[in-house]
Amino acid sequence: MEKSNPVVIVGGGPSGTAAAALLGKYRIPSIIIDEAPKIGGVIYRGPLRKTATLPHLDDNLQRAMSALRRRYENYKSFIELKLQTRVLGPEGKQSLLLNEGGGLTTQKYDELILATGCHERSIPFPGWQLPGVMLLGGVQLQIKSGLVKPGTKMALVGTGPLLPLVACQLHKAGVNVIGVYEASAFNKLAKEAVALLNKPKLTLSGLSMMSYLKKHQIPFYYGYGVVNAQGDAHLERVTVAPYDQYWRADLSQAKSIEVDAIGVGYGFVARTQLAMLLGLEHTYTKVSGYIPVLSSEFESNQTKTYVVGDSTGLLGADAAICEGQIAALNIVKQRGILSATEAKKEQAKIARKHARIKRFRFGFDRFSERQSGLLELAQDDTVVCRCEQATKRQLEQAISEGVKDLTTLKMRTRIGMGDCQGKTCSSFALDLLHQAGHNKDTGVIKPRFPLDPIPFTFMEESLNEQV
């Protein structure tokens, strides 16, 4: 490896790995920091233990996983992996504090690429805390990485392209999928036909999934969604009902279904807590939450600090790869390895592909745009903040008494003060504020240092070293 300063990349998913591989192509070393034991991110990580076959994963996904692995293998002599390592936040100027190998370490950088991905958007409803109620990403992790069936008799509720994909994966894994409930109506999807033609292969793949579900008699209901979940010690039943155009449930047509698990997927939120701690400028979007303000080369307001992948907006793995490559090319240019003309030419090719993906994804964003009826699912005593057990009634009372922003709502109700720092509850709380007419200066639940709790044993070791 050349004796030049490595580019530090936080996140080993599609965007981070693509950036590292392109840097390696130009003999620039990099360090990938990821909290998982394997690169690939949630989507392409694959099983965490060896298995002879992967019958539950479709051929396209397996090819994409192999492509990511090849991308790494081709340039691994230029890539250092720091796996099972968590970034706790900034530590001084251009340095990160890490939880690495059972202790605290620091990682300095000159150039930094944040590829931290996204996390799922939680929608509270009665019974959502019962064992057996899972978010779709968690369901996928159990199938793809853990090789574990999340349940034996399941239903899926929510919106977006992940629903049919996960339904197919569950069925191939041997799970009895008794129904898939998409919140939006079919005619709304039909209106996006032109947008979907920007990625014909992906569209055909989606049609293939729907054909698979039909062939195996797995019902797919448009304009339906969750109402509540019931059970004693664990999930036993889920109630679903038709949704109107605002996703308000028609309780007169509600039906109860016996299940032992459900997957719930009403969208994702960009994971930007580290970017916020670093002081990067952010803006709010309804689809992705707070995302960094970036240049066309994905450089932030802090020079040589880039943000790529789903933490810039929820465009999926293919777009994330493009963004990682565009940011890496900018670093190659700044280091003088490529001229500005050469770099611009290479970036333009990737940017055209990225634009097609964006048009495709925006079609799905319009189809899956969450509606105000979701806020009505939670009842007065439904817990919204799991960490602090704050209920919907407490949030609405504070708002009715004059609270107009998240910071004040946090002080009044303690939402966002637990270990997750608001990742579970802040999106729902923000939607409540918007519903009440507070659309400006609502703020954000600011992340705290450290991003993850530091065990007391680490403190003890640090004190002993000082002594």
Side-chain angles (χ1 to χ4, degrees), residues 34 63 124 161-163 170-171 182 211 242 244 248 261 266 315 317 349 371 395:
D34 198 284
R63 281 194 291 269
L162 204 54
L163 282 175
L170 286 170
H171 183 266
E182 161 63 59
S211 177
D244 66 11
R248 290 181 300 226
Y266 284 99
L315 298 179
K349 293 178 187 176
Q371 302 297 321
L395 269 64

PDB file of all heavy atoms in Angstrom, residues 34 63 124 161-163 170-171 182 211 242 244 248 261 266 315 317 349 371 395:
ATOM      1  N   ASP A  34     -16.976  -0.215  10.079  1.00  0.00           N
ATOM      2  CA  ASP A  34     -18.351  -0.700  10.058  1.00  0.00           C
ATOM      3  C   ASP A  34     -18.637  -1.476  11.338  1.00  0.00           C
ATOM      4  O   ASP A  34     -17.779  -2.208  11.838  1.00  0.00           O
ATOM      5  CB  ASP A  34     -18.601  -1.588   8.840  1.00  0.00           C
ATOM      6  CG  ASP A  34     -20.080  -1.756   8.537  1.00  0.00           C
ATOM      7  OD1 ASP A  34     -20.754  -2.524   9.245  1.00  0.00           O
ATOM      8  OD2 ASP A  34     -20.565  -1.116   7.591  1.00  0.00           O
ATOM      9  N   ARG A  63     -26.464 -12.007  -7.132  1.00  0.00           N
ATOM     10  CA  ARG A  63     -25.481 -11.423  -8.057  1.00  0.00           C
ATOM     11  C   ARG A  63     -24.955 -10.089  -7.530  1.00  0.00           C
ATOM     12  O   ARG A  63     -23.755  -9.796  -7.622  1.00  0.00           O
ATOM     13  CB  ARG A  63     -26.110 -11.230  -9.439  1.00  0.00           C
ATOM     14  CG  ARG A  63     -26.199 -12.506 -10.267  1.00  0.00           C
ATOM     15  CD  ARG A  63     -26.510 -12.183 -11.712  1.00  0.00           C
ATOM     16  NE  ARG A  63     -27.862 -11.682 -11.871  1.00  0.00           N
ATOM     17  CZ  ARG A  63     -28.925 -12.457 -12.124  1.00  0.00           C
ATOM     18  NH1 ARG A  63     -28.764 -13.764 -12.252  1.00  0.00           N
ATOM     19  NH2 ARG A  63     -30.125 -11.933 -12.251  1.00  0.00           N
ATOM     20  N   PRO A 124     -46.091   4.177  15.447  1.00  0.00           N
ATOM     21  CA  PRO A 124     -46.741   3.575  16.621  1.00  0.00           C
ATOM     22  C   PRO A 124     -48.209   3.230  16.342  1.00  0.00           C
ATOM     23  O   PRO A 124     -48.925   3.985  15.691  1.00  0.00           O
ATOM     24  CB  PRO A 124     -46.639   4.675  17.684  1.00  0.00           C
ATOM     25  CG  PRO A 124     -45.591   5.627  17.181  1.00  0.00           C
ATOM     26  CD  PRO A 124     -45.678   5.566  15.699  1.00  0.00           C
ATOM     27  N   PRO A 161     -41.719  -0.927  -2.340  1.00  0.00           N
ATOM     28  CA  PRO A 161     -41.235  -2.122  -3.043  1.00  0.00           C
ATOM     29  C   PRO A 161     -40.657  -3.196  -2.148  1.00  0.00           C
ATOM     30  O   PRO A 161     -40.459  -4.334  -2.600  1.00  0.00           O
ATOM     31  CB  PRO A 161     -40.165  -1.554  -3.988  1.00  0.00           C
ATOM     32  CG  PRO A 161     -39.723  -0.273  -3.355  1.00  0.00           C
ATOM     33  CD  PRO A 161     -40.930   0.280  -2.680  1.00  0.00           C
ATOM     34  N   LEU A 162     -40.360  -2.852  -0.903  1.00  0.00           N
ATOM     35  CA  LEU A 162     -39.806  -3.864  -0.005  1.00  0.00           C
ATOM     36  C   LEU A 162     -40.851  -4.922   0.379  1.00  0.00           C
ATOM     37  O   LEU A 162     -40.496  -6.059   0.695  1.00  0.00           O
ATOM     38  CB  LEU A 162     -39.255  -3.196   1.259  1.00  0.00           C
ATOM     39  CG  LEU A 162     -38.158  -3.937   2.037  1.00  0.00           C
ATOM     40  CD1 LEU A 162     -36.988  -4.287   1.137  1.00  0.00           C
ATOM     41  CD2 LEU A 162     -37.700  -3.103   3.215  1.00  0.00           C
ATOM     42  N   LEU A 163     -42.130  -4.566   0.323  1.00  0.00           N
ATOM     43  CA  LEU A 163     -43.175  -5.510   0.738  1.00  0.00           C
ATOM     44  C   LEU A 163     -43.173  -6.784  -0.102  1.00  0.00           C
ATOM     45  O   LEU A 163     -43.082  -7.891   0.452  1.00  0.00           O
ATOM     46  CB  LEU A 163     -44.547  -4.839   0.677  1.00  0.00           C
ATOM     47  CG  LEU A 163     -44.915  -3.881   1.819  1.00  0.00           C
ATOM     48  CD1 LEU A 163     -46.255  -3.220   1.518  1.00  0.00           C
ATOM     49  CD2 LEU A 163     -44.986  -4.611   3.142  1.00  0.00           C
ATOM     50  N   LEU A 170     -39.572 -14.547   2.471  1.00  0.00           N
ATOM     51  CA  LEU A 170     -40.156 -15.311   3.575  1.00  0.00           C
ATOM     52  C   LEU A 170     -40.737 -16.632   3.087  1.00  0.00           C
ATOM     53  O   LEU A 170     -40.524 -17.688   3.692  1.00  0.00           O
ATOM     54  CB  LEU A 170     -41.237 -14.488   4.272  1.00  0.00           C
ATOM     55  CG  LEU A 170     -40.783 -13.333   5.156  1.00  0.00           C
ATOM     56  CD1 LEU A 170     -41.968 -12.471   5.562  1.00  0.00           C
ATOM     57  CD2 LEU A 170     -40.067 -13.852   6.409  1.00  0.00           C
ATOM     58  N   HIS A 171     -41.469 -16.561   1.977  1.00  0.00           N
ATOM     59  CA  HIS A 171     -42.084 -17.789   1.464  1.00  0.00           C
ATOM     60  C   HIS A 171     -41.023 -18.803   1.053  1.00  0.00           C
ATOM     61  O   HIS A 171     -41.146 -20.001   1.348  1.00  0.00           O
ATOM     62  CB  HIS A 171     -42.990 -17.461   0.269  1.00  0.00           C
ATOM     63  CG  HIS A 171     -43.715 -18.654  -0.261  1.00  0.00           C
ATOM     64  ND1 HIS A 171     -43.227 -19.413  -1.316  1.00  0.00           N
ATOM     65  CD2 HIS A 171     -44.874 -19.252   0.134  1.00  0.00           C
ATOM     66  CE1 HIS A 171     -44.065 -20.405  -1.563  1.00  0.00           C
ATOM     67  NE2 HIS A 171     -45.069 -20.330  -0.694  1.00  0.00           N
ATOM     68  N   GLU A 182     -50.629  -3.413   1.273  1.00  0.00           N
ATOM     69  CA  GLU A 182     -50.013  -2.180   0.794  1.00  0.00           C
ATOM     70  C   GLU A 182     -50.973  -1.011   1.039  1.00  0.00           C
ATOM     71  O   GLU A 182     -52.134  -1.051   0.628  1.00  0.00           O
ATOM     72  CB  GLU A 182     -49.693  -2.312  -0.693  1.00  0.00           C
ATOM     73  CG  GLU A 182     -49.477  -1.025  -1.455  1.00  0.00           C
ATOM     74  CD  GLU A 182     -48.278  -0.222  -0.975  1.00  0.00           C
ATOM     75  OE1 GLU A 182     -47.147  -0.760  -1.001  1.00  0.00           O
ATOM     76  OE2 GLU A 182     -48.485   0.949  -0.574  1.00  0.00           O
ATOM     77  N   SER A 211     -45.780 -11.864  -9.670  1.00  0.00           N
ATOM     78  CA  SER A 211     -46.190 -13.115 -10.306  1.00  0.00           C
ATOM     79  C   SER A 211     -45.922 -14.305  -9.397  1.00  0.00           C
ATOM     80  O   SER A 211     -46.724 -15.241  -9.317  1.00  0.00           O
ATOM     81  CB  SER A 211     -45.438 -13.282 -11.633  1.00  0.00           C
ATOM     82  OG  SER A 211     -45.759 -14.505 -12.244  1.00  0.00           O
ATOM     83  N   PRO A 242     -59.269  -1.604   5.240  1.00  0.00           N
ATOM     84  CA  PRO A 242     -59.036  -0.756   4.062  1.00  0.00           C
ATOM     85  C   PRO A 242     -58.629   0.653   4.488  1.00  0.00           C
ATOM     86  O   PRO A 242     -59.125   1.170   5.488  1.00  0.00           O
ATOM     87  CB  PRO A 242     -60.398  -0.747   3.356  1.00  0.00           C
ATOM     88  CG  PRO A 242     -61.147  -1.903   3.906  1.00  0.00           C
ATOM     89  CD  PRO A 242     -60.658  -2.090   5.307  1.00  0.00           C
ATOM     90  N   ASP A 244     -58.314   4.752   3.236  1.00  0.00           N
ATOM     91  CA  ASP A 244     -58.740   5.703   2.211  1.00  0.00           C
ATOM     92  C   ASP A 244     -57.500   6.398   1.644  1.00  0.00           C
ATOM     93  O   ASP A 244     -56.360   6.016   1.946  1.00  0.00           O
ATOM     94  CB  ASP A 244     -59.771   6.688   2.767  1.00  0.00           C
ATOM     95  CG  ASP A 244     -59.191   7.621   3.840  1.00  0.00           C
ATOM     96  OD1 ASP A 244     -57.954   7.670   4.018  1.00  0.00           O
ATOM     97  OD2 ASP A 244     -59.982   8.322   4.499  1.00  0.00           O
ATOM     98  N   ARG A 248     -56.515   6.600   6.253  1.00  0.00           N
ATOM     99  CA  ARG A 248     -57.355   6.441   7.437  1.00  0.00           C
ATOM    100  C   ARG A 248     -58.067   5.099   7.330  1.00  0.00           C
ATOM    101  O   ARG A 248     -58.655   4.774   6.286  1.00  0.00           O
ATOM    102  CB  ARG A 248     -58.374   7.575   7.553  1.00  0.00           C
ATOM    103  CG  ARG A 248     -57.763   8.918   7.900  1.00  0.00           C
ATOM    104  CD  ARG A 248     -58.824   9.987   8.025  1.00  0.00           C
ATOM    105  NE  ARG A 248     -59.557  10.140   6.782  1.00  0.00           N
ATOM    106  CZ  ARG A 248     -59.849  11.326   6.221  1.00  0.00           C
ATOM    107  NH1 ARG A 248     -59.451  12.442   6.800  1.00  0.00           N
ATOM    108  NH2 ARG A 248     -60.534  11.388   5.099  1.00  0.00           N
ATOM    109  N   ALA A 261     -46.253 -13.461  13.855  1.00  0.00           N
ATOM    110  CA  ALA A 261     -45.296 -12.384  13.587  1.00  0.00           C
ATOM    111  C   ALA A 261     -45.819 -11.535  12.435  1.00  0.00           C
ATOM    112  O   ALA A 261     -46.538 -12.029  11.561  1.00  0.00           O
ATOM    113  CB  ALA A 261     -43.922 -12.952  13.236  1.00  0.00           C
ATOM    114  N   TYR A 266     -43.222   1.175   6.895  1.00  0.00           N
ATOM    115  CA  TYR A 266     -43.779   2.431   6.406  1.00  0.00           C
ATOM    116  C   TYR A 266     -42.673   3.432   6.080  1.00  0.00           C
ATOM    117  O   TYR A 266     -42.821   4.631   6.278  1.00  0.00           O
ATOM    118  CB  TYR A 266     -44.760   3.012   7.426  1.00  0.00           C
ATOM    119  CG  TYR A 266     -46.094   2.292   7.443  1.00  0.00           C
ATOM    120  CD1 TYR A 266     -46.362   1.328   8.407  1.00  0.00           C
ATOM    121  CD2 TYR A 266     -47.060   2.563   6.489  1.00  0.00           C
ATOM    122  CE1 TYR A 266     -47.578   0.654   8.426  1.00  0.00           C
ATOM    123  CE2 TYR A 266     -48.284   1.902   6.496  1.00  0.00           C
ATOM    124  CZ  TYR A 266     -48.537   0.950   7.460  1.00  0.00           C
ATOM    125  OH  TYR A 266     -49.744   0.287   7.468  1.00  0.00           O
ATOM    126  N   LEU A 315     -32.516   6.512  -1.972  1.00  0.00           N
ATOM    127  CA  LEU A 315     -32.568   6.151  -3.389  1.00  0.00           C
ATOM    128  C   LEU A 315     -32.182   4.700  -3.644  1.00  0.00           C
ATOM    129  O   LEU A 315     -32.241   4.237  -4.779  1.00  0.00           O
ATOM    130  CB  LEU A 315     -31.654   7.078  -4.198  1.00  0.00           C
ATOM    131  CG  LEU A 315     -32.019   8.568  -4.174  1.00  0.00           C
ATOM    132  CD1 LEU A 315     -31.016   9.364  -5.000  1.00  0.00           C
ATOM    133  CD2 LEU A 315     -33.422   8.790  -4.705  1.00  0.00           C
ATOM    134  N   ALA A 317     -29.657   0.983  -3.250  1.00  0.00           N
ATOM    135  CA  ALA A 317     -28.271   0.532  -3.353  1.00  0.00           C
ATOM    136  C   ALA A 317     -27.589   0.985  -4.638  1.00  0.00           C
ATOM    137  O   ALA A 317     -26.410   1.372  -4.626  1.00  0.00           O
ATOM    138  CB  ALA A 317     -28.223  -0.993  -3.237  1.00  0.00           C
ATOM    139  N   LYS A 349     -20.600  10.353 -16.503  1.00  0.00           N
ATOM    140  CA  LYS A 349     -21.154   9.044 -16.867  1.00  0.00           C
ATOM    141  C   LYS A 349     -21.962   8.466 -15.704  1.00  0.00           C
ATOM    142  O   LYS A 349     -23.074   7.968 -15.878  1.00  0.00           O
ATOM    143  CB  LYS A 349     -20.021   8.073 -17.225  1.00  0.00           C
ATOM    144  CG  LYS A 349     -19.254   8.417 -18.480  1.00  0.00           C
ATOM    145  CD  LYS A 349     -18.136   7.395 -18.680  1.00  0.00           C
ATOM    146  CE  LYS A 349     -17.224   7.777 -19.839  1.00  0.00           C
ATOM    147  NZ  LYS A 349     -16.076   6.818 -19.948  1.00  0.00           N
ATOM    148  N   GLN A 371     -49.260   9.273   4.580  1.00  0.00           N
ATOM    149  CA  GLN A 371     -50.415  10.151   4.698  1.00  0.00           C
ATOM    150  C   GLN A 371     -50.767  10.379   6.169  1.00  0.00           C
ATOM    151  O   GLN A 371     -50.350   9.623   7.051  1.00  0.00           O
ATOM    152  CB  GLN A 371     -51.603   9.562   3.947  1.00  0.00           C
ATOM    153  CG  GLN A 371     -51.344   9.311   2.466  1.00  0.00           C
ATOM    154  CD  GLN A 371     -51.045  10.577   1.687  1.00  0.00           C
ATOM    155  OE1 GLN A 371     -51.658  11.624   1.923  1.00  0.00           O
ATOM    156  NE2 GLN A 371     -50.086  10.495   0.771  1.00  0.00           N
ATOM    157  N   LEU A 395     -47.612  13.813  24.196  1.00  0.00           N
ATOM    158  CA  LEU A 395     -47.103  14.653  23.108  1.00  0.00           C
ATOM    159  C   LEU A 395     -48.169  15.629  22.632  1.00  0.00           C
ATOM    160  O   LEU A 395     -47.895  16.832  22.467  1.00  0.00           O
ATOM    161  CB  LEU A 395     -46.637  13.777  21.939  1.00  0.00           C
ATOM    162  CG  LEU A 395     -45.163  13.330  21.940  1.00  0.00           C
ATOM    163  CD1 LEU A 395     -44.872  12.423  23.145  1.00  0.00           C
ATOM    164  CD2 LEU A 395     -44.808  12.609  20.652  1.00  0.00           C
TER     165      LEU A 395
END
